């Protein structure tokens, strides 16, 4: 059978509420009174880094056990997509077709300008990758000093690249053979160590992964879309 798609659209104020309600689950997979994710979110906002606060929310949402907020169904894939992405109108047709193996999607950064990075505009993860990929990025943001977050523009894109590459079968050999310069990963479909697949797409739209692609509607600023793909394969 096919897959159902549920849209979750949050503005910047709603993103903080999301972190307030789900921060402890995002960070550890369990509920707790100590919401260090929210504390970091507020610290980042006060430090004048709203884009980094958005990244924290994004990886909190992607690492949240889906059963905790999607009708108790743990068998879903979570996907983040920029609000003005060209994929917006074709998401369901392009990424929800039944496949033999469960697929994860990521976008490689420009090999010319940002080698060994992942573009942050689109990321789709299966439940098994919530902890192995998204939660590790979330913890990186929470545990990194604010000064570093504000000055290391490629910290998250590079870390995401490394985490995804680690999940792929056969890339250990490429690491040994690689001799600097450029990315060893190319667009295509890769087998993953957990039996799933990773589909790596190529960035073609622009060369700036930090371009502000947010949109405004009156006084409410909608920054990005967050998708939930409910697989019924």
């Amino acid at each position: 059978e096919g897959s159902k798609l549920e849209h979750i659209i949050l503005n910047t104020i709603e993103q903080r509420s999301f972190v307030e309600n789900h921060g402890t689950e995002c960070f550890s997979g369990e509920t707790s009174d100590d919401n260090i994710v929210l504390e970091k979110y507020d610290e980042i906002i006060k430090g004048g880094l709203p884009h980094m606060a958005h990244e924290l929310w994004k990886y909190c949402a992607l690492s949240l056990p889906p059963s905790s907020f999607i009708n108790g169904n743990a068998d879903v894939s979570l996907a983040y997509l920029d609000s003005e992405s060209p994929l917006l109108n074709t998401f369901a047709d392009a990424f929800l077709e039944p496949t033999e193996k469960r697929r994860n999607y990521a976008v490689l950064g420009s090999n010319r300008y940002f080698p060994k990075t992942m573009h942050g505009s689109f990321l789709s993860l299966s439940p098994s990758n919530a902890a192995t990929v998204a939660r590790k990025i979330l913890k990186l943001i929470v545990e990194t000093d604010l000064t570093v977050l504000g000055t290391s523009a490629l910290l998250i894109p590079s870390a995401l690249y490394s985490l995804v590459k680690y999940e792929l079968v056969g890339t250990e050999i490429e690491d040994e053979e690689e001799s600097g310069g450029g990315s060893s990963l190319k667009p295509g479909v890769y087998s993953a160590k957990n039996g799933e697949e990773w589909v790596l797409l190529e960035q073609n739209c622009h060369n700036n992964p930090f371009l502000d692609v947010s949109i405004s509607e009156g006084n409410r600023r909608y920054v990005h879309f967050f998708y939930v793909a409910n697989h019924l394969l």
Side-chain angles (χ1 to χ4, degrees), residues 113-128:
Y113 297 102
F114 306 105
K116 300 182 184 179
T117 64
M118 288 293 179
H119 195 287
S121 60
F122 172 52
L123 183 63
S124 179
L125 302 176
S126 69
S128 63

Side-chain angles (χ1 to χ4, degrees), residues 17 30 40 47-48 66 105 129 148 152 162 164-165 174 192 200 202 205 220 225 228:
S17 297
E30 302 175 354
K40 189 68 174 186
Y105 295 86
N129 281 305
V148 177
S152 302
S162 297
V164 170
K165 186 175 181 179
E174 292 182 8
L200 301 185
E202 186 174 16
C205 299
R220 305 189 72 192
F225 287 76
V228 179

Side-chain angles (χ1 to χ4, degrees), residues 154-185:
L154 295 179
L155 175 67
I156 296 176
S158 296
L160 180 59
Y161 174 93
S162 297
L163 287 172
V164 170
K165 186 175 181 179
Y166 179 78
E167 297 298 318
L168 307 181
V169 174
T171 55
E172 303 89 348
I173 298 177
E174 292 182 8
D175 285 336
E176 295 175 359
E177 296 178 346
E178 196 174 17
S179 57
S183 168
S184 64
L185 294 180

Side-chain angles (χ1 to χ4, degrees), residues 212-224:
D212 184 0
V213 292
S214 61
I215 57 177
S216 298
E217 180 181 309
N219 294 324
R220 305 189 72 192
R221 190 181 185 197
Y222 292 86
V223 184
H224 294 86

Side-chain angles (χ1 to χ4, degrees), residues 130-157:
T132 56
V133 176
R135 188 169 295 158
K136 289 181 180 179
I137 296 292
L138 174 64
K139 290 185 175 182
L140 174 65
I141 298 174
V142 170
E143 296 170 356
T144 299
D145 182 77
L146 197 62
T147 302
V148 177
L149 291 177
T151 57
S152 302
L154 295 179
L155 175 67
I156 296 176

Side-chain angles (χ1 to χ4, degrees), residues 12-222:
T12 50
I13 296 176
E14 293 166 335
Q15 288 174 22
R16 186 190 184 280
S17 297
F18 185 98
V19 173
E20 182 177 14
N21 294 330
H22 300 291
T24 57
E25 297 172 85
C26 295
F27 194 76
S28 65
E30 302 175 354
T31 56
S32 169
D33 294 331
D34 185 18
N35 194 342
I36 61 176
V37 178
L38 180 62
E39 294 175 4
K40 189 68 174 186
Y41 184 96
D42 289 339
E43 178 190 357
I44 291 173
I45 289 293
K46 291 179 181 178
L49 300 173
H51 64 287
M52 190 58 64
H54 176 77
E55 290 295 293
L56 185 147
W57 161 78
K58 176 172 77 176
Y59 286 102
C60 177
L62 287 171
S63 60
L64 183 69
S67 58
S68 64
F69 71 105
I70 309 173
N71 300 323
N73 186 352
D75 188 31
V76 301
S77 289
L78 305 181
Y80 166 88
L81 184 64
D82 277 349
S83 58
E84 290 191 352
S85 168
L87 298 174
L88 186 59
N89 295 325
T90 61
F91 183 89
D93 293 336
F95 302 106
L96 297 186
E97 290 297 316
T99 56
E100 183 177 346
K101 294 183 179 181
R102 192 154 203 161
R103 286 187 165 181
N104 303 269
Y105 295 86
V107 180
L108 290 167
S110 168
N111 193 40
R112 179 179 178 183
Y113 297 102
F114 306 105
K116 300 182 184 179
T117 64
M118 288 293 179
H119 195 287
S121 60
F122 172 52
L123 183 63
S124 179
L125 302 176
S126 69
S128 63
N129 281 305
T132 56
V133 176
R135 188 169 295 158
K136 289 181 180 179
I137 296 292
L138 174 64
K139 290 185 175 182
L140 174 65
I141 298 174
V142 170
E143 296 170 356
T144 299
D145 182 77
L146 197 62
T147 302
V148 177
L149 291 177
T151 57
S152 302
L154 295 179
L155 175 67
I156 296 176
S158 296
L160 180 59
Y161 174 93
S162 297
L163 287 172
V164 170
K165 186 175 181 179
Y166 179 78
E167 297 298 318
L168 307 181
V169 174
T171 55
E172 303 89 348
I173 298 177
E174 292 182 8
D175 285 336
E176 295 175 359
E177 296 178 346
E178 196 174 17
S179 57
S183 168
S184 64
L185 294 180
K186 306 298 181 185
V189 180
Y190 292 79
S191 296
K193 296 174 183 177
N194 63 359
E196 299 178 349
E197 290 180 333
W198 275 89
V199 180
L200 301 185
L201 307 175
E202 186 174 16
Q203 174 193 350
N204 289 317
C205 299
H206 55 73
N207 290 318
N208 185 0
F210 313 108
L211 182 67
D212 184 0
V213 292
S214 61
I215 57 177
S216 298
E217 180 181 309
N219 294 324
R220 305 189 72 192
R221 190 181 185 197
Y222 292 86

